[in-house]
Amino acid sequence: MKVKDGIIGLVVGDALGVPVEFQSRYSLKMNPVEGMIGHGTHNQPEGSWSDDTSMTLATMASIVNKNAIDYEDIMKEFCNWFLNDKYCQKEQFDIGIATQNALIEYRKGIPALECGGTGERDNGNGSLMRILPLAYIPDIDYETIENVSAVTHAHKRSRIACVLYVEIAKSMLENEGFPIEEHIEIASEKIQAYYRDEPELKHFKRIFEDDLDDEDEISSKGYVIYTFESVIYCLKNTSNYKDAVLKAVNLGEDTDTVAAICGGLAGIYYGFDDIPIDWIDAIPQIDKVLSLCEKYEAFCNEY
Ligand SMILES: [Mg+2]
């Protein structure tokens, strides 16, 4: 099964980062995360996942239940998470501002595709962190990926970030054995060809040009471009799942989301067996995630 490689990679990365979210890089340099720990920032038990995982699971469950990508239903399941703690281990404890605003709009009866913020300030990493499931759907088109972003994050920059991420994941799924740089290059070329004169492409320049080797120039804050750059930096400068996600967490700031987005790709690239089993076992209710992965894989195979 392939779906669990990326999805469990994402969940484990999220859970590793939750206890130290918002900690500075300096403080993590002094006291780095080396494995699964509990409490900290959100005072949650060891192995707790956050919004990144919950919204990813909600997306997968909606697609499985509807046997289709239904934007209204995806928003309904996001509300079920936010209001009813569905897709949580215990309760919802973390939500981004843009996502919360979009869910409030949806509750007012606004159509799903009109709920996401379109301002330049609405470009947090909140749609990038939950877009991975789409990479497993054969021949998924860019418009659909953009729309799944747009229900919470409708600015073109966030939409393109989601398409680029799905393309990198797809390249890893399709071209096994290629080095990481090559997957990024393949995906970057596709995006630049498709969006051609789109002015937003300039924000992705450092990713396209492979100009991400200096850690001092990488910010791991929640802006979608900074997050994406951090993820690429971590993938390029490590050689296994464990080191990639620990590097992501220890960059500081938006630790859970950077590690979740990095972990999704690292899980695909290195495979499920490279994810430390004691980290997987430390996550309460991981069986529910694995069973949803199986259902989602069946959907993708029949698509
Ligand atoms: Mg989170």
Side-chain angles (χ1 to χ4, degrees), residues 14 18 21 42 49-53 93-94 129 254 256-257:
D14 182 14
V18 162
E21 192 179 2
H42 300 281
W49 68 62
S50 70
D51 50 351
D52 315 66
T53 295
F93 60 86
D94 191 18
M129 71 184 197
D254 203 352
D256 59 324
T257 302

Side-chain angles (χ1 to χ4, degrees), residues 3 60 63-64 133-134 137 292-300:
V3 169
M60 292 165 71
I63 293 172
V64 166
L134 299 197
I137 300 177
L292 181 56
C293 285
E294 260 173 54
K295 289 181 194 146
Y296 192 77
E297 181 132 340
F299 164 83
C300 294

Side-chain angles (χ1 to χ4, degrees), residues 163-274:
V163 177
L164 177 59
Y165 186 76
V166 168
E167 278 291 6
I168 295 172
K170 271 198 176 296
S171 175
M172 288 178 170
L173 288 165
E174 287 160 13
N175 309 304
E176 232 173 285
F178 286 17
I180 283 168
E181 286 79 359
E182 207 158 329
H183 297 300
I184 297 161
E185 204 179 303
I186 289 168
S188 296
E189 278 169 13
K190 283 187 179 173
I191 298 301
Q192 286 170 292
Y194 180 84
Y195 290 102
R196 259 169 263 142
D197 301 325
E198 169 59 54
E200 281 296 318
L201 284 187
K202 66 174 179 282
H203 298 282
F204 296 85
K205 199 166 169 258
R206 287 184 355 139
I207 299 172
F208 294 155
E209 292 178 1
D210 195 6
D211 179 21
L212 293 166
D213 288 319
D214 183 356
E215 189 173 300
D216 292 336
E217 288 181 11
I218 307 286
S219 165
S220 41
K221 294 201 168 129
Y223 168 46
V224 67
I225 299 293
Y226 290 164
T227 298
F228 214 139
E229 291 180 348
S230 297
V231 166
I232 304 292
Y233 169 77
C234 294
L235 287 171
K236 277 186 56 190
N237 288 286
T238 51
S239 52
N240 57 64
Y241 175 87
K242 182 177 178 176
D243 290 345
V245 288
L246 287 180
K247 200 174 210 31
V249 170
N250 289 315
L251 284 178
E253 306 297 348
D254 203 352
T255 52
D256 59 324
T257 302
V258 175
I261 297 170
C262 176
L265 292 180
I268 295 174
Y269 188 75
Y270 297 109
F272 184 82
D273 291 341
D274 198 47

